[in-house]
């Protein structure tokens, strides 16, 4: 960290900054230039808030040299992280050559429709099943999800199709029960800043899909990942799902540039959610293709047997048939880049079909 003093700063003001830095157990290197003095701060600067130093008299500005996240930083694992998803029926790697497609309804609505959608997405080429049991809805009067019942249905759909399950956890006290049923815990956009929840999933070893806060900078998102990693859980996957901008045509603005940015800053795998990222079904396939082209390691896609009657997010949900098209188009893009699609779903469905 570097503190640049104003050209008008007095010797006492420079000494004031040096004293503050030393009080925090850090060392200083002072360079006295012709126009101004620059103080280099050496040591573990992660614990210092640059704004605290910037507020001291005589300070012009404070510049961070090191990123404030250490464990999430690419330097911590230059070769990149691979997260293994394990369940009764097998295992799946996220962050390797193969791209993982997770698909299913926004919310688990009832067992019959969940089963039907799970079978359809598995047959089409999904490697994981998504579906919310605990739903974070903007209005308290909207469908809130089936809760524990929904988790049981997801577990039965996994047994039936062989697809591992990703589902959202909304509160620290839900982590234990959701982790019993889920193979990957989803932290939604609204909870990216929920630090007690991040700490709670950090105490598990379950893979965590950490969605970007809709108003979060990339640095804030990586610091949220840092909470989970610092808690001892190395199995973190980041998911870009769109951010709020002035544009009203789409539900969110899908920030696909975040994919290569995060890949250069961090070693963690990155997914993209083109459903919440656009809010419009007709944009999901083009943005899915673009996400793979940008380097995404996986996609989270909403699929519903009857989008017009869905209890949530029907306007952005694909039909199973449209999802089949998405898989084929994404496969072509992946192959053009020397990658492929993970096929745990296909294996799971084959196993089920072989058994029947
Ligand atoms: C979801 O994927 O079900 C969801 C609620 O997404 P987000 O948190 O990105 O809005
Ligand atoms: Mn949704």
């Amino acid at each position: 960290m570097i503190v640049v003093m104003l050209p008008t700063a007095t010797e006492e003001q420079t000494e004031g900054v040096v004293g503050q830095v030393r009080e925090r157990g850090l060392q200083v290197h002072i360079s006295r230039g012709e126009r101004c003095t620059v103080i280099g701060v050496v040591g573990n600067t992660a614990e210092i808030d640059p704004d605290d130093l910037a507020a001291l008299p005589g300070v012009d500005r404070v510049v961070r040299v090191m990123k404030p996240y250490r464990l999430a930083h690419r330097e911590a694992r230059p070769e990149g992280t691979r997260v293994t998803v394990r369940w009764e029926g097998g295992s799946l790697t996220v962050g390797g050559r193969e791209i993982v497609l997770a698909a299913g309804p926004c919310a688990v609505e009832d067992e019959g429709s969940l089963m039907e959608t799970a079978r359809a997405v598995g047959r089409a080429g999904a490697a994981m099943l998504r579906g919310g049991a605990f739903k974070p809805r903007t209005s308290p009067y909207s469908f809130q999800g089936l809760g524990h019942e929904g988790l049981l249905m997801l577990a039965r759909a996994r047994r039936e199709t062989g697809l591992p399950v990703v589902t959202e956890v909304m509160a620290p006290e839900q982590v234990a029960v959701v982790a019993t049923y889920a193979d990957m815990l989803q932290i939604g956009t609204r909870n990216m800043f929920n630090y007690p929840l991040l700490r709670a999933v950090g105490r598990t070893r379950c893979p965590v899909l950490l969605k970007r806060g809709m108003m979060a900078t990339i640095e804030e998102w990586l610091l949220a990942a840092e909470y989970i990693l610092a808690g001892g859980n190395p199995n973190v996957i980041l998911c870009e799902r769109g951010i709020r901008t002035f544009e009203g045509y789409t539900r969110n603005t899908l920030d696909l540039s975040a994919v290569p940015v995060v890949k250069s800053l961090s070693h963690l795998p990155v997914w993209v959610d083109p459903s919440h990222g656009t809010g419009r079904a007709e944009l999901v396939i083009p943005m899915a293709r673009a996400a793979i082209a940008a380097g995404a390691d996986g996609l989270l896609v909403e699929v519903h047997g009857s989008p017009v009657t869905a209890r949530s997010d029907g306007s952005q949900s694909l039909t199973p048939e449209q999802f089949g098209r998405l898989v084929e188009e994404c496969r072509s893009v992946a192959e053009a880049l020397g990658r492929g699609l993970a096929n745990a779903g296909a294996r799971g469905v084959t196993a089920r079909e072989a058994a029947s």
Side-chain angles (χ1 to χ4, degrees), residues 136-176:
R137 303 305 303 280
T138 302
S139 164
Y141 307 116
S142 303
F143 175 54
Q144 302 285 307
L146 299 180
H148 191 248
E149 264 310 297
L151 295 178
L152 295 172
M153 291 176 191
L154 285 165
R156 289 197 284 269
R158 171 180 49 211
R159 201 173 323 128
E160 169 79 5
T161 62
L163 296 173
V165 165
V166 53
T167 194
E168 180 159 355
V169 58
M170 284 171 49
E173 61 275 18
Q174 288 171 355
V175 171

Side-chain angles (χ1 to χ4, degrees), residues 101-343:
L101 304 185
C106 175
V108 177
E109 297 177 359
D110 62 81
E111 184 145 1
S113 69
L114 177 69
M115 258 343 149
E116 226 170 88
T117 304
R119 277 192 214 108
V121 298
R123 234 178 278 126
M128 292 189 74
L129 174 65
R130 67 144 288 148
F134 294 98
K135 292 301 301 177
R137 303 305 303 280
T138 302
S139 164
Y141 307 116
S142 303
F143 175 54
Q144 302 285 307
L146 299 180
H148 191 248
E149 264 310 297
L151 295 178
L152 295 172
M153 291 176 191
L154 285 165
R156 289 197 284 269
R158 171 180 49 211
R159 201 173 323 128
E160 169 79 5
T161 62
L163 296 173
V165 165
V166 53
T167 194
E168 180 159 355
V169 58
M170 284 171 49
E173 61 275 18
Q174 288 171 355
V175 171
V177 67
V178 178
T180 306
Y181 297 100
D183 306 296
M184 188 185 284
L185 299 171
Q186 180 174 322
I187 304 283
T189 191
R190 295 162 182 79
N191 274 316
M192 191 215 82
F193 286 109
N194 182 341
Y195 300 117
L197 179 61
L198 298 175
R199 285 192 195 282
V201 298
R203 287 191 288 271
T204 75
R205 294 298 171 269
C206 190
V208 176
L209 186 66
L210 176 63
K211 287 194 150 193
R212 180 179 181 178
M214 62 182 93
M215 286 174 280
T217 63
I218 288 173
E219 185 161 297
E220 288 165 336
W221 187 19
L222 291 173
L223 282 166
E226 189 82 3
Y227 267 87
I228 304 171
L229 298 171
N233 186 351
N235 303 310
V236 179
I237 299 154
L238 299 162
C239 182
E240 164 61 41
R241 52 77 68 201
I243 51 175
R244 280 202 168 163
T245 68
F246 53 81
E247 181 53 67
Y249 186 83
T250 45
R251 180 177 178 181
N252 290 287
T253 295
L254 186 62
D255 181 10
L256 286 182
S257 67
V259 176
V261 170
V262 164
K263 287 213 157 257
S264 71
L265 294 175
S266 177
H267 52 86
L268 297 171
V270 186
W271 282 19
V272 169
D273 172 349
S275 307
H276 294 88
T278 62
R280 301 175 73 115
E282 75 275 17
L283 300 180
V284 170
I285 293 180
M287 289 298 97
R289 290 193 308 249
I292 306 281
D297 298 299
L299 299 179
L300 189 70
V301 181
E302 288 187 339
V303 177
H304 196 281
S306 166
V308 286
T309 57
R311 296 189 75 180
S312 60
D313 287 351
S315 61
Q316 66 194 34
S317 298
L318 300 184
T319 61
E321 187 250 328
Q322 290 169 324
F323 178 69
R325 203 152 6 103
L326 178 147
V327 173
E328 289 323 311
E329 296 190 17
C330 286
R331 195 191 308 281
S332 301
V333 179
E335 284 171 0
L337 295 166
R339 301 184 78 177
L341 301 184
N343 69 347

